[in-house]
Amino acid sequence: MKILLCCLAGVTSTLFSTKLKEAASRKRVDATVWSASEHAVEFSAELADVILVEPQLKGSVDKIQAMVPEKPVILISDEDFKNFNAMQIFETAYNAVNK
């Protein structure tokens, strides 16, 4: 499973990517997780199975979805992001890809 984390500047996303990889590992799912800023997401969106968007970019979700209409684009909730609830976010992404 390939997860792209779309972020504002990349500071928090590095740690969040690690947490998502750990969540995938606990679920025994082989996952590749990487992050890209809003301005660079178009260069790797096609490689992802699912795109997670950090709450700071909620205004960009439609633009990102338009880039890859065939892929799930999921806005991370403020609560899950604030609490680094990687397991819940991973499960949401996994379910979106495997529905």
Side-chain angles (χ1 to χ4, degrees), residues 3 25-27 34 38 42-43 45 48 54 60 62 68 72 74 85 90-91 96 98:
I3 302 170
S25 179
R26 284 194 300 263
K27 288 290 194 177
W34 73 99
E38 175 186 17
E42 67 183 285
F43 301 110
E54 292 184 358
S60 299
D62 290 340
V68 284
I74 300 167
N85 192 353
F90 173 77
E91 287 178 3
N98 294 294

Side-chain angles (χ1 to χ4, degrees), residues 39-95:
H39 303 292
V41 73
E42 67 183 285
F43 301 110
S44 59
E46 286 294 329
L47 301 173
D49 296 317
V50 60
I51 300 170
L52 300 175
V53 181
E54 292 184 358
Q56 308 93 306
L57 296 174
K58 65 178 110 192
S60 299
V61 171
D62 290 340
K63 180 176 90 173
I64 295 167
Q65 185 68 72
M67 287 181 211
V68 284
E70 73 285 0
K71 298 184 188 242
V73 175
I74 300 167
L75 177 63
I76 300 170
S77 74
D78 288 327
E79 189 70 21
D80 283 339
F81 190 74
K82 179 177 77 172
N83 293 317
F84 272 69
N85 192 353
M87 185 58 76
Q88 175 64 39
I89 295 165
F90 173 77
E91 287 178 3
T92 300
Y94 182 85
N95 290 337

Side-chain angles (χ1 to χ4, degrees), residues 3-54:
I3 302 170
L4 172 57
L5 180 61
C6 183
C7 60
L8 191 60
V11 177
T12 312
S13 60
T14 302
L15 179 57
F16 215 94
S17 293
T18 301
K19 295 288 187 187
L20 286 168
K21 287 177 195 174
E22 290 170 3
S25 179
R26 284 194 300 263
K27 288 290 194 177
R28 299 178 188 254
V29 174
D30 184 23
T32 301
V33 183
W34 73 99
S35 60
S37 72
E38 175 186 17
H39 303 292
V41 73
E42 67 183 285
F43 301 110
S44 59
E46 286 294 329
L47 301 173
D49 296 317
V50 60
I51 300 170
L52 300 175
V53 181
E54 292 184 358

